[in-house]
Amino acid sequence: MAVPPFDYDAALLSCAAGDQNAFQNLYRQEAPRMLALSLKMLGQRSSAEDLVQDAFILIWKNAASYDPAMGGARAWMYSITRYRALSRLRQAGRPRSGDSSWTDALPGDGACADPGGVAGTIAALDESRRKPLLMAFYNGYNYEQIAARLKTSPGQVRQHTQDALKSMQEQRQA
């Protein structure tokens, strides 16, 4: 018997009403993936764990501000996580290990298992489009910073990023 998909919108709206069980279910469902993203962005497990805890506190406190008409619950949750991670990276001057290949990989085990999902769509992009997109998302780098790292022009980075987003949008609508 198939397990029904988790209803993030309903869980988040229940959190807004103060339902602690819904919050626990939301945490169990999404914390491992948020930890993978946080670890990918910050590079240190303890910092990533702290970030996920902070993000879930903000999710609980601000659940009432979530508006389903503005986008999905998961996107709302991940925007909180991502912006907090980028803020920490800016405050810390972006300390990272010497591993430069991290920007070209998606976080989490089996993240690309669903080829129709966002991760699968990103994984299907050619490297010239995928890499700047991931550098912008995971690091918050601007076009100039990405261009310097990829040894290309900011205009080319901008075009590749826009092409990637357009391609992703077309695939999601198909």
Side-chain angles (χ1 to χ4, degrees):
M1 182 173 183
V3 176
F6 188 80
D7 189 345
Y8 290 92
D9 288 338
L12 199 50
L13 292 171
S14 294
C15 288
D19 184 344
Q20 292 181 0
N21 287 328
F23 182 70
Q24 288 174 348
N25 290 335
L26 193 61
Y27 182 86
R28 273 190 232 109
Q29 183 70 26
E30 212 53 37
R33 289 179 198 87
M34 289 179 124
L35 179 60
L37 173 63
S38 300
L39 184 56
K40 194 65 137 169
M41 292 181 77
L42 299 177
Q44 296 176 334
R45 185 162 186 93
S46 62
S47 296
E49 289 171 350
D50 289 345
L51 178 74
V52 171
Q53 180 179 355
D54 291 348
F56 271 99
I57 289 169
L58 287 171
I59 289 166
W60 174 254
K61 287 181 178 180
N62 297 303
S65 70
Y66 167 66
D67 180 2
M70 298 298 291
R74 285 184 80 204
W76 184 81
M77 292 169 51
Y78 278 90
S79 69
I80 290 172
T81 304
R82 180 176 175 269
Y83 289 121
R84 297 288 295 182
L86 292 175
S87 176
R88 288 186 185 192
L89 287 169
R90 285 183 196 106
Q91 289 172 352
R94 299 182 196 273
R96 293 216 34 100
S97 68
D99 180 13
S100 62
S101 66
W102 72 274
T103 57
D104 200 28
L106 297 167
D109 296 330
C112 297
D114 177 12
V118 173
T121 304
I122 292 171
L125 293 170
D126 64 81
E127 183 177 349
S128 68
R129 290 178 174 88
R130 181 181 60 247
K131 201 166 200 168
L133 188 68
L134 294 177
M135 291 175 84
F137 182 83
Y138 289 135
N139 281 96
Y141 291 145
N142 62 35
Y143 293 135
E144 289 77 19
Q145 292 167 323
I146 294 169
R149 284 163 178 76
L150 297 179
K151 296 178 178 39
T152 188
S153 72
Q156 182 130 25
V157 169
R158 182 179 302 109
Q159 187 62 49
H160 285 309
T161 304
Q162 290 171 350
D163 290 347
L165 293 171
K166 183 178 179 182
S167 175
M168 289 177 62
Q169 183 178 24
E170 289 170 354
Q171 286 184 355
R172 299 290 289 168
Q173 291 174 349

